[in-house]
Each structure stands twice: as structure tokens, then as C-alpha cells.
Amino acid sequence: MKITNYKVYEIDLPLRTPFTTSFATIKYKKTLILELVTSEGVKGYSECSAFDIPFYSEEFRAGALALLTEQLLPQLLKVEIKHPDEIYSLFAYVRRNNMAKAAINCALWDLYAKEQNLPLFKALGGVKNKVEVGVSIGVQDSPEALVEVVRGYIEAGYRRIKMKIKPGSDYDYLKAVRTEFPQAMLMADANSAYRLKDAELLKRLDDLDLIMIEQPLEPGDIVDHARLQAQLKTPICLDESIVSLDDARKMVELGAGKIINIKVARVGGFGAAKQIQAYAGQHGIQCWCGGMLDSGIARAGNLAIATLANYTLPNDIAACERYYAEDIISPLIKLNGTYVNVPTEPGLGYEVDYVNLKKFTKAVYEG
């Protein structure tokens, strides 16, 4: 395919309620939407999930925008693409910056699937027609408040509940939820809020029958994660630590965890995510698809990749209405019990809601 032009939409999508993690409280998903257009006029879409400040990783929206418009997209317009994963060699000169690269890879996969007249999940090699999902809950003001929020999502049909934790808002909060919901699939997400010296505190969580503790330590602390995992019965899930297939290999060789949260944006796109889940499956590591407070466009892509065989745990692909009163796709992604049905239309399987896209757009960059 030949990409002839692009648009990058800078949007601020308001959340229903503020979302609090160990490092920030977020009121808007300030993100970028990429539109690629082929010589035949076919349009492909993706989201660059970098937040507006670099608290999750070193990438941030303004930096990703500059890289896309000044470097990556001009390079893309110069070549013909036979397969979306060719971008990894095309952009090999750019270190890291996986979220910007992922935006291009994912939009190309949308186009590639449309060219093949296939739903995206089929083009990617997916094998499921529905995907089990869970919900992610930010840090709450009290254990009692957390219990009531969890109650609402369990009543809405979610089976797996992920709760953000941080020092001072951890054991007592999780204990209250476990006491109230003894059969629920519960997990804790620390977003790197702890250090190895906190091992005794984290060992207390073994009493709560969690399916995992996600990213307790700093992203670069794979060695310390291995030391911590050796002390815990609860599986450690690595998130920010895994930005490449090589990171997954190091995790396996060191025993730094038992589960990987594969965020498409963090690892560089669908092609990289496919490689990591295949490697994980070969080495007995469970996987699931994480989210980045995604708009419906990235959420639809996550739904497609989560149909691959080695995504074995419920995924962070909640209904659009969980986070947003208004989204930028049509129809909205909705629950079917504890699952989301995978669309069968070519490409992402959802249409862009151009009215809402325009409503939430702050600026458009074209080339």
C-alpha cells in the first residue's frame, strides 16, 4: 500500500470521573488520533496513547506529536508498504519511542485488514470471537468507598477487578474488598509505587488470594522483581518493565514474574505484541491486554489483539461507557456478560464518530 497523506488529531477526551493511580489523577485522556490515507482513498485509524506528561513512561503527547510529524510520518510517505510490520526496520534508527511507532503500526494494520477484506482480529491471527474483560479502578478515598465501587462493577457483569494501590492505600483496601467478595478475581496494580525494601508489606497481600500484583517495583528493576517474586506466593505481573521481546526473555530467564500485561502502545504495536504473546506462550507465561485509558479507537484495537491464543487472562478492555460519557467510535464497545463480542467487519470493525472527534479536537496536523 502507498500512504499519500495523514492527519493527526490532538484531542482531549473527558473522563466520566477522575482516575487516580499511584502517580497522578487524570481528568482527560489527552491523546493523539492518527488517520492514514492510501492512494486508493482508504482510511486507517489508530491512537498514540502517550499521556500529556511522561509519568507512565518517558513518552508524552507533545513529544510523540513532534516525532510523528517531523520524522516518522514523512518517512512513511516516501515508501510503499507491503506489510505493517515493515515499519520496525524503517524506523530502526529511532530509539524506543514505542508509542509513536505503535500508532503507525496499528493504523497500517487497520488498512492491511481492510485491503484483505478481513476483520482485524482475523488478519492478526486471532482465534476468539469474544474476549473476556475486566475493569480497572483507581485509588479510592477509603476501603469502604472502594468496596462500593467494586460492587457496582461486579453487578454490571465484570468478573475480574483490578484495583490501583499505593503505600497507605493497599492491604486494608484490598482486604475489605476480598472480605466482601470472596469469589471475585481480584488483582492489585502498583504502577511501580514500591521498592524491594517493601517486600514484607507486599508479602501480606499473599493472604488475599490475588490473581496477581502488577508492576510493584520500578520498570528497570527486573532483577529486584526476581528477588521479590522468590518471596511471594502471589504471581507478579510485569507491565512497564516489558517494552520489547528481549525484555520478556530477560523476565523469563531471571524468574522476574509469571504474567505479562501486554499494552500494544508500550511495546510498539500489534506486530510486537504478537511476538511477545507467542514467546510467553512457549514459556508458560500468562498474558493479558492492558489499557491506557484508551479512546474507543485504541480499545477496538486491543479487542482484536486479545483474540490471539496466548492472551489467557481477562483483559483491560472495559465498555467505552466505563470511562467516557462520549467516545469517538460508533457503535460503542459494550459488555455481553463478562465478555465483549469481536466485530466481524473489515478492519477495526467500528466507525469513527466524526462529530465527536471534531468536538474534542484541539488541533489537527496534516501532511
Side-chain angles (χ1 to χ4, degrees):
M1 71 186 78
K2 175 65 176 174
I3 306 302
T4 56
N5 56 288
Y6 66 81
K7 289 182 181 179
V8 182
Y9 299 85
E10 186 177 3
I11 73 168
D12 291 357
L13 194 60
L15 290 162
R16 276 186 178 274
T17 57
F19 190 85
T20 300
T21 71
S22 65
F23 50 71
T25 295
I26 302 167
K27 297 181 180 179
Y28 293 83
K29 179 61 190 289
K30 298 184 176 183
T31 192
L32 303 172
I33 301 300
L34 175 62
E35 175 187 283
L36 297 181
V37 185
T38 70
S39 56
E40 296 182 351
V42 182
K43 295 179 179 180
Y45 291 91
S46 67
E47 178 174 343
C48 179
S49 295
F51 291 105
D52 59 318
I53 55 177
F55 46 60
Y56 175 78
S57 73
E58 66 272 24
E59 288 184 79
F60 63 105
R61 180 169 68 169
L65 175 63
L67 181 62
L68 283 166
T69 56
E70 296 175 18
Q71 291 276 333
L72 304 185
L73 290 167
Q75 288 288 333
L76 182 68
L77 295 183
K78 296 176 182 178
V79 300
E80 289 196 11
I81 296 291
K82 293 182 179 179
H83 190 277
D85 292 347
E86 291 175 8
I87 68 111
Y88 296 123
S89 58
L90 180 64
F91 301 142
Y93 72 98
V94 177
R95 291 180 182 268
R96 297 173 73 92
N97 287 282
N98 283 348
M99 294 186 187
K101 294 175 184 176
I104 294 177
N105 181 255
C106 293
L108 289 173
W109 269 103
D110 183 27
L111 288 169
Y112 180 76
K114 288 172 179 173
E115 280 193 345
Q116 305 295 316
N117 199 33
L118 289 172
L120 179 58
F121 86 98
K122 286 285 190 184
L124 289 168
V127 295
K128 308 167 191 171
N129 57 18
K130 62 180 181 179
V131 168
E132 186 170 10
V133 302
V135 68
S136 180
I137 299 173
V139 177
Q140 302 297 306
D141 292 335
S142 68
E144 295 77 16
L146 179 59
V147 166
E148 291 311 308
V149 173
V150 171
R151 188 188 313 280
Y153 289 116
I154 287 179
E155 291 175 353
Y158 293 98
R159 191 166 70 101
R160 191 229 70 191
I161 307 292
K162 180 170 88 170
M163 297 161 287
K164 300 287 187 178
I165 61 172
K166 63 181 181 179
S169 302
D170 40 44
Y171 180 82
D172 291 340
Y173 287 66
L174 299 175
K175 174 67 172 176
V177 174
R178 173 53 75 208
T179 299
E180 187 71 16
F181 306 104
Q183 304 303 317
M185 294 179 67
L186 302 181
M187 60 178 287
D189 183 6
N191 287 117
S192 303
Y194 299 86
R195 300 296 177 265
L196 191 58
K197 64 182 176 60
D198 299 314
E200 290 302 316
L201 186 157
L202 295 169
K203 284 165 70 174
R204 293 186 69 199
L205 303 184
D206 280 342
D207 298 336
L208 303 179
D209 191 29
L210 303 177
I211 59 174
M212 70 187 83
I213 302 171
E214 185 179 354
Q215 198 65 46
L217 309 180
E218 287 274 14
D221 290 349
I222 291 184
V223 170
D224 283 349
H225 274 108
R227 290 172 177 157
L228 180 61
Q229 182 67 89
Q231 300 179 58
L232 300 180
K233 292 186 295 184
T234 306
I236 287 176
C237 170
L238 293 187
D239 176 357
E240 291 95 325
S241 293
I242 308 298
V243 300
S244 67
L245 178 62
D246 197 49
D247 287 333
R249 177 187 61 80
K250 293 171 185 175
M251 171 190 171
V252 169
E253 292 186 4
L254 292 172
K258 301 177 181 179
I259 300 169
I260 299 175
N261 170 355
I262 304 178
K263 289 179 179 168
V264 170
R266 189 190 70 240
V267 303
F270 293 136
K274 285 184 65 178
Q275 291 182 328
I276 292 170
Q277 65 87 36
Y279 178 85
Q282 292 165 6
H283 292 86
I285 300 294
Q286 292 191 284
C287 294
W288 55 284
C289 181
M292 299 278 290
L293 293 179
D294 303 297
S295 77
I297 288 175
R299 197 172 299 272
N302 291 344
L303 182 59
I305 197 73
T307 64
L308 271 66
N310 292 314
Y311 285 81
T312 53
L313 291 167
N315 305 276
D316 270 353
I317 312 173
C320 291
E321 293 167 339
R322 154 68 180 98
Y323 296 105
Y324 301 106
E326 299 178 276
D327 208 333
I328 56 173
I329 60 168
S330 179
L332 297 177
I333 294 172
K334 294 183 178 293
L335 287 185
N336 176 14
T338 189
Y339 292 86
V340 173
N341 293 332
V342 181
T344 56
E345 293 79 6
L348 281 173
Y350 295 87
E351 297 296 325
V352 174
D353 184 330
Y354 291 101
V355 172
N356 278 355
L357 180 61
K358 181 179 179 180
K359 177 178 179 180
F360 298 118
T361 293
K362 304 300 179 184
V364 181
Y365 303 85
E366 301 184 51

